[in-house]
Amino acid sequence: MTIRFYQYPKCSTCKKAQKWLDDQHIAYESIHIVEETPTKEQLQAIYEASGLPLKKFFNTSGMKYKELGLKDKLPEMSEEEQLALLASDGMLIKRPLTTDGQKVTLGFKESDFLESWK
C-alpha cells in the first residue's frame, strides 16, 4: 500500500517530514488533513494499526484542542466519541500522520521515520 501522508501545508513539522521523505526518494500520497480529514473508520483502522494510545492522536498544542478544553474532557470520553471528534476536524489530529496501513507515525521524529519508512 502507498504511504499516506496526512499533512497541513502551513505546519513546519509537516514541511520537515515532507522534505525528509523527498530527500530519501520515498513515494507517498500527500493529503491535506483539513480538506480531506480521515473518516472515523479510517482513523479507527490507523489507530488499531499503530498500537499507540488514542490520546496520542490529538494535536494537544493546537488552538482547537485548547478552545474545546479537551485536556479535561478526553479522559471521560469513550473511544468511539474520541474517534468521532478527531474525524470532525483535521486540526485536532496530530500531524503529520503517516501510514501505509500497517505502520503509523505521528508527528516527525527522524529516528521514527528512519525505522518506519526507510
Side-chain angles (χ1 to χ4, degrees):
M1 185 181 165
T2 310
I3 294 173
R4 297 172 68 87
F5 181 74
Y6 291 93
Q7 51 84 27
Y8 184 66
K10 292 180 180 159
C11 163
S12 60
T13 307
C14 295
K15 288 178 190 171
K16 282 182 202 157
Q18 196 161 16
K19 181 182 182 329
W20 188 91
L21 289 169
D22 291 342
D23 289 350
Q24 307 299 318
H25 307 288
I26 295 168
Y28 59 90
E29 177 188 355
S30 182
I31 302 162
H32 191 300
I33 201 161
V34 177
E35 293 173 0
E36 293 182 62
T37 304
T39 64
K40 187 171 156 234
E41 293 71 28
Q42 287 171 316
L43 286 165
Q44 174 89 45
I46 294 167
Y47 160 59
E48 286 171 4
S50 77
L52 296 166
L54 190 52
K55 67 179 183 191
K56 294 271 189 206
F57 282 78
F58 283 88
N59 177 10
T60 56
S61 56
M63 283 174 22
K64 190 81 173 186
Y65 182 89
K66 291 173 180 155
E67 272 172 31
L68 296 173
L70 292 178
K71 188 173 83 144
D72 301 322
K73 293 180 183 167
L74 281 184
E76 292 155 22
M77 291 171 78
S78 71
E79 200 169 273
E80 191 81 7
E81 291 168 322
Q82 289 182 42
L83 286 164
L85 185 61
L86 284 167
S88 74
D89 188 339
M91 293 305 270
L92 287 173
I93 301 170
K94 184 162 179 72
R95 58 188 185 261
L97 166 59
T98 313
T99 183
D100 65 359
Q102 262 111 69
K103 296 180 297 228
V104 178
T105 55
L106 288 166
F108 175 65
K109 263 178 65 185
E110 191 167 347
S111 58
D112 292 349
F113 266 52
L114 265 171
E115 193 178 304
S116 296
W117 311 120
K118 190 69 177 125

